[in-house]
Amino acid sequence: MTSASSSPVTETILNFIDGSYRKGSEGKSFPNVNPATGTAIGVVHEASQADVADAVAAAKAALTGPWGKMTTAERVKLIAAVATEIERRADDFLAAEVADTGKPRHVASHIDIPRGAANFRMFADVVSTMPGESFNTSTPDGGQALNYTVRKPKGVVAVVCPWNFPLLLMTWKVGPALACGNTVVVKPSEETPRTAALLGEVMNAVGMPKGVYNVVHGFGPGSAGEFLTSNPDVDAITFTGETGTGQAIMQKAAIGVRDISFELGGKNPAIVFADADLDKAVEGLSRSVFLNTGQVCLGTERVYVERPIFDAFVARMVAAAQGFKPGVTGDRAYLGPLISAEHREKVLGYYRRAVEDGATVVTGGGVPEISGAEAGGFFVEPTLWIDVAHGDTVMREEIFGPCCGIVPFDSEDEVIALANDTVYGLCASIWTENLSRGHRVAAAMDVGVCWVNSWFLRDLRTAFGGSGHSGIGREGGVHSLEFYTEITNICVKL
Ligand SMILES: NC(=O)C1=CN([C@@H]2O[C@H](COP(=O)(O)OP(=O)(O)OC[C@H]3O[C@@H](n4cnc5c(N)ncnc54)[C@H](O)[C@@H]3O)[C@@H](O)[C@H]2O)C=CC1
Ligand SMILES: O=C(O)/C=C/C=C(\O)C(=O)O
């Protein structure tokens, strides 16, 4: 039994190594819990250090097997077939993602699963159409030389993933890694192992050579995450997750001087000017604060509103927040659970801290009353604060929950300084009908991605990533190729 093919109940979730499903060689396992009910619904087999070494060895061997000998055209055809097979098995992927994350089906069916397939299709296209670089060079003897580049895969790529959009954020890295000819060993989050495991079935179904795609389950320190990132046969590490974890992985990457690409946390600001279209701003920002129960690295946790519209904006956001009813079934407006009891405790700690620091809770602030099957789920109320000071903990630290502080401002310079005064630099959004100001303020934001009058409008070809504590490097479109390939410049004397 591999993954969530029928009922998620009592599911056994295995590692996928060299084209086969395997139990952990040390017999260790851990429970897989549905966050919407708080009940264990499966057992995950934890990879031992030897299992991780086997996965890396399989990935290394595959580089010189049939996979390594394929032309780009053959490779991208196989990768496009992966996308088609995910789409054909969309219901299985949906069941697996919903079981792991507890998120409402409409979120997973509109975002996680289709974007998971799109990541393979898009990077197959990018690699097929990627131009090379060439220069004609004058030589000292009065002749000419031709310089041109060839791109080669980096080798074995370790892909360490978070739990908030498991399939989407994993394929965002596996898609380009494979399209560029690398092989991968994926370490999904311990909270959400199913879709990575299920993807093994897809790889076998389309005829992907053994060892190209491998999955090892487990935790971080002292477990599969650390075993993988410290394995010397891993050539590059791509990671999405917490900033602190990124620092730990960076230390491992330093051994052997391996390349890294990091997408980390954020404390993303939104700026709403008085001339904004209030309907659009409230719609966009309520999605930005509450989508996926705030467990979105791009989500907004600080909203700055120009003073003349502050009260009106807050009233509209409160009404929007109250439309997001915690729960995932029935007639609720579907604010899913947080990922775990531990994460809920962390978020509720911030809810308490906001009040201790003097914030006014304008809606939410606690745990909702839910009966029935979801009574044991890890739900919290959507929460908005006003009267928060710039230095308050909830305005400085990433919470990763359905909440934000709303603060008035009086001038453009003031709000730019407030928005940029953070260690993070992932994204921002600006809301104004004055497009000159929109361009100007967007360019002044110290972030990797800035939206004007929108949020999470993502073209997969564009650069994605953050600065400061939000990450290192950019992925997306051709930017991914910079990380997943090595360039050799060839200089031919003519
Ligand atoms: N910038 C971005 O694109 C995104 C950032 N995130 C960030 O991720 C966090 C939430 O995700 P989590 O899964 O809790 O993050 P996390 O950092 O705790 O875990 C991410 C992955 O790293 C593994 N890991 C943990 N410690 C490790 C170690 N020492 N060595 C190797 N692997 C290790 C975990 O097992 C998991 O697979 C939030 O802080 C959020 O901001 C999440 C999604 C996207
Ligand atoms: O690009 C996407 O489709 C999704 C990106 C989402 C994140 O990076 C995130 O929340 O973590």
Side-chain angles (χ1 to χ4, degrees), residues 124-366:
D125 284 350
V126 169
V127 166
S128 326
T129 54
M130 177 73 182
E133 185 182 79
S134 74
F135 296 97
N136 280 314
T137 306
S138 300
T139 57
D141 62 2
Q144 289 280 305
L146 173 66
N147 283 282
Y148 66 95
T149 52
V150 290
R151 284 181 184 271
K152 300 172 193 160
K154 277 231 165 91
V156 177
V157 179
V159 181
V160 184
C161 309
W163 42 255
N164 56 337
F165 291 106
L167 180 70
L168 186 164
L169 290 173
M170 187 255 291
T171 55
W172 172 246
K173 294 166 179 301
V174 171
L178 298 191
C180 293
N182 300 281
T183 57
V184 296
V185 181
V186 173
K187 212 301 276 170
S189 167
E190 52 273 36
E191 311 284 359
T192 53
R194 286 169 188 262
T195 46
L198 185 55
L199 193 58
E201 291 183 16
V202 167
M203 295 293 171
N204 284 346
V206 303
M208 188 65 76
K210 292 181 194 319
V212 171
Y213 174 81
N214 305 275
V215 180
V216 290
H217 296 298
F219 304 86
S223 183
E226 185 178 346
F227 301 152
L228 178 60
T229 52
S230 52
N231 187 303
D233 284 331
V234 164
D235 298 295
I237 303 168
T238 177
F239 167 71
T240 300
E242 281 182 11
T243 303
T245 310
Q247 287 172 351
I249 292 178
M250 207 165 170
Q251 289 179 345
K252 302 291 177 195
I255 305 164
V257 199
R258 279 91 53 78
D259 202 359
I260 49 166
S261 174
F262 283 174
E263 294 170 18
L264 308 175
K267 189 72 188 173
N268 309 309
I271 301 175
V272 186
F273 286 97
D275 66 358
D277 179 323
L278 208 51
D279 290 339
K280 284 187 197 154
V282 170
E283 188 280 328
L285 288 174
S286 56
R287 261 190 317 115
S288 181
V289 176
F290 303 120
L291 178 73
N292 214 38
T293 317
Q295 301 166 119
V296 183
C297 66
L298 303 169
T300 302
E301 292 194 358
R302 298 182 289 150
V303 181
Y304 300 100
V305 183
E306 205 166 4
R307 202 173 296 276
I309 61 160
F310 182 79
D311 291 342
F313 178 85
V314 171
R316 298 278 297 272
M317 280 295 282
V318 168
Q322 290 171 354
F324 284 86
K325 303 280 186 226
V328 294
T329 54
D331 59 358
R332 298 173 183 279
Y334 297 29
L335 187 78
L338 296 171
I339 193 67
S340 63
E342 186 189 6
H343 188 52
R344 178 164 75 167
E345 212 24 67
K346 178 182 156 193
V347 172
L348 289 174
Y350 282 110
Y351 283 16
R352 289 190 290 272
R353 182 65 192 259
V355 174
E356 284 160 18
D357 285 346
T360 301
V361 180
V362 283
T363 187

Side-chain angles (χ1 to χ4, degrees), residues 12-15 22-31 43-49 51 217-219 221-224 227:
T12 300
I13 300 144
L14 299 173
N15 302 288
R22 289 202 206 166
K23 294 183 175 178
S25 60
E26 290 179 357
K28 286 193 193 166
S29 63
F30 55 94
V43 173
V44 189
H45 284 257
E46 186 176 349
S48 65
Q49 186 149 16
D51 299 328
H217 296 298
F219 304 86
S223 183
F227 301 152

Side-chain angles (χ1 to χ4, degrees), residues 57-71 74 181 183 209-212:
K60 189 172 178 182
L63 289 167
T64 51
W67 176 249
K69 296 183 176 64
M70 277 182 197
T71 62
E74 289 166 336
T183 57
K210 292 181 194 319
V212 171

